[in-house]
Amino acid sequence: EAQVTQNPRYLITVTGKKLTVTCSQNMNHEYMSWYRQDPGLGLRQIYYSMNVEVTDKGDVPEGYKVSRKEKRNFPLILESPSPNQTSLYFCASSPISNLYEQYFGPGTRLTVT
Amino acid sequence: AQRVTQPEKLLSVFKGAPVELKCNYSYSGSPELFWYVQYSRQRLQLLLRHISRESIKGFTADLNKGETSFHLKKPFAQEEDSAMYYCALKDTDKLIFGTGTRLQVFP
C-alpha cells in the first residue's frame, strides 16, 4: 500500500530536549516536505527536499532541521524544542513531476511544555 | 508576494443547501490552483485541480483570473462533505496553502 508514515504520532516533551520525528514514504517520490498546522494559520511549510541531499527552507524553518540521506526518509529534527513549536506536524511527498499531488502522512501532534 | 486567502474559518449549512468556499490568490504569473480536503480522522488529500476542470464528489472550482479567485462550489451539500478544506497555490517548487475553511453540514 502506497503511504507516508510518521513516528511518533503523539509526543509530549519538555523545553530543550532534542527530538526527531521520522517520515518515510514507499512511493519512490523525489519531493518531500514538512508542514505545521496551527489553528487560524493553516498549513505552513517548514522545510522541503527536491531529492536526496537537497533540502531548502520553507516559510517557517526557524528552530528546525532536516536531512535527506535516503530517498524514502525525511526526518524533522528539533534540536532545542520550545513551547511555540507545539503544533500538529505533517510530512508529505510527491513525484517531482506532479508537485501539486502531495501525499500526506497522518500527522504528529507535538506538545512542548 | 504569493498568497492564498480563505476569508471564512467556518461555513455552516444545512444538507441540500448550496455551498461556496471562497479562495482568493495573489500570484505574479500563471497560477495553478488546487483544493485539498481533510475529513475527520483522515489524511489531507487532493480534491481537485483547476487545470483538469473536473467535478469531484459534486464539487467544482473555476479559476477566475480577473477576480483572482478559485472558489469551491457544490449545488447540494451532503453531511459527508463536512471537513476542513484548503485552497493551495503552486509556486515554483512548493505549495502555498490558505488558512483553511471548516465546512459543517447539518442534517
Side-chain angles (χ1 to χ4, degrees), chain A residues 4 31 37 48 100 102 104, chain B residues 34 36 43 49 86 93:
Chain A
V4 177
Y31 186 93
Q37 185 183 47
Y48 64 98
Y100 62 85
Q102 294 192 13
F104 281 79
Chain B
F34 312 89
Y36 274 75
R43 303 179 186 214
R49 46 188 166 137
Y86 288 96
D93 51 8

Side-chain angles (χ1 to χ4, degrees), chain A residues 3-5 31 35 37 40-43 45 48 50 56 58-59 90 99-102 104-106, chain B residues 9 32 34 36 38 42-46 49 84 86 90-100:
Chain A
Q3 60 180 347
V4 177
T5 57
Y31 186 93
Y35 298 90
Q37 185 183 47
L41 297 175
L43 280 166
Q45 190 179 49
Y48 64 98
M50 303 285 273
D56 275 297
D59 298 316
F90 289 101
L99 197 60
Y100 62 85
E101 191 165 3
Q102 294 192 13
F104 281 79
Chain B
K9 288 187 178 180
E32 291 184 59
F34 312 89
Y36 274 75
Q38 188 175 25
Q42 292 188 29
R43 303 179 186 214
L44 193 64
Q45 58 188 290
L46 179 65
R49 46 188 166 137
M84 193 75 178
Y86 288 96
K90 182 170 177 286
D91 179 21
T92 312
D93 51 8
K94 61 182 179 181
L95 283 178
I96 299 171
F97 286 87
T99 51

Side-chain angles (χ1 to χ4, degrees), chain A residues 39-73:
Chain A
L41 297 175
L43 280 166
R44 293 180 294 167
Q45 190 179 49
I46 303 170
Y47 269 95
Y48 64 98
S49 170
M50 303 285 273
N51 214 325
V52 177
E53 302 292 0
V54 180
T55 62
D56 275 297
K57 294 178 181 179
D59 298 316
V60 289
E62 296 78 21
Y64 305 95
K65 283 175 57 177
V66 292
S67 69
R68 188 88 183 274
K69 293 183 171 55
E70 305 166 286
K71 199 171 188 179
R72 62 183 294 125
N73 296 323

Side-chain angles (χ1 to χ4, degrees), chain B residues 19-97:
Chain B
V19 169
E20 181 179 69
L21 296 157
K22 291 184 168 48
C23 172
N24 289 91
Y25 67 90
S26 172
Y27 189 69
S28 54
S30 188
E32 291 184 59
L33 286 139
F34 312 89
W35 278 98
Y36 274 75
V37 62
Q38 188 175 25
Y39 300 103
S40 179
R41 303 189 200 291
Q42 292 188 29
R43 303 179 186 214
L44 193 64
Q45 58 188 290
L46 179 65
L47 179 62
L48 57 79
R49 46 188 166 137
H50 90 270
I51 201 165
S52 62
R53 301 185 66 81
E54 57 201 343
S55 173
I56 303 291
K57 299 185 179 183
F59 283 99
T60 59
D62 290 319
L63 177 61
N64 186 324
K65 291 186 179 180
E67 296 183 358
T68 59
S69 68
F70 187 57
H71 302 329
L72 183 67
K73 299 177 184 178
K74 185 169 183 177
F76 307 103
Q78 303 298 312
E79 289 178 70
E80 55 265 31
D81 295 328
S82 295
M84 193 75 178
Y85 291 82
Y86 288 96
C87 183
L89 169 70
K90 182 170 177 286
D91 179 21
T92 312
D93 51 8
K94 61 182 179 181
L95 283 178
I96 299 171
F97 286 87

Side-chain angles (χ1 to χ4, degrees), chain A residues 89-106:
Chain A
Y89 292 87
F90 289 101
C91 180
S93 74
S94 70
I96 206 76
S97 56
N98 283 337
L99 197 60
Y100 62 85
E101 191 165 3
Q102 294 192 13
Y103 292 80
F104 281 79

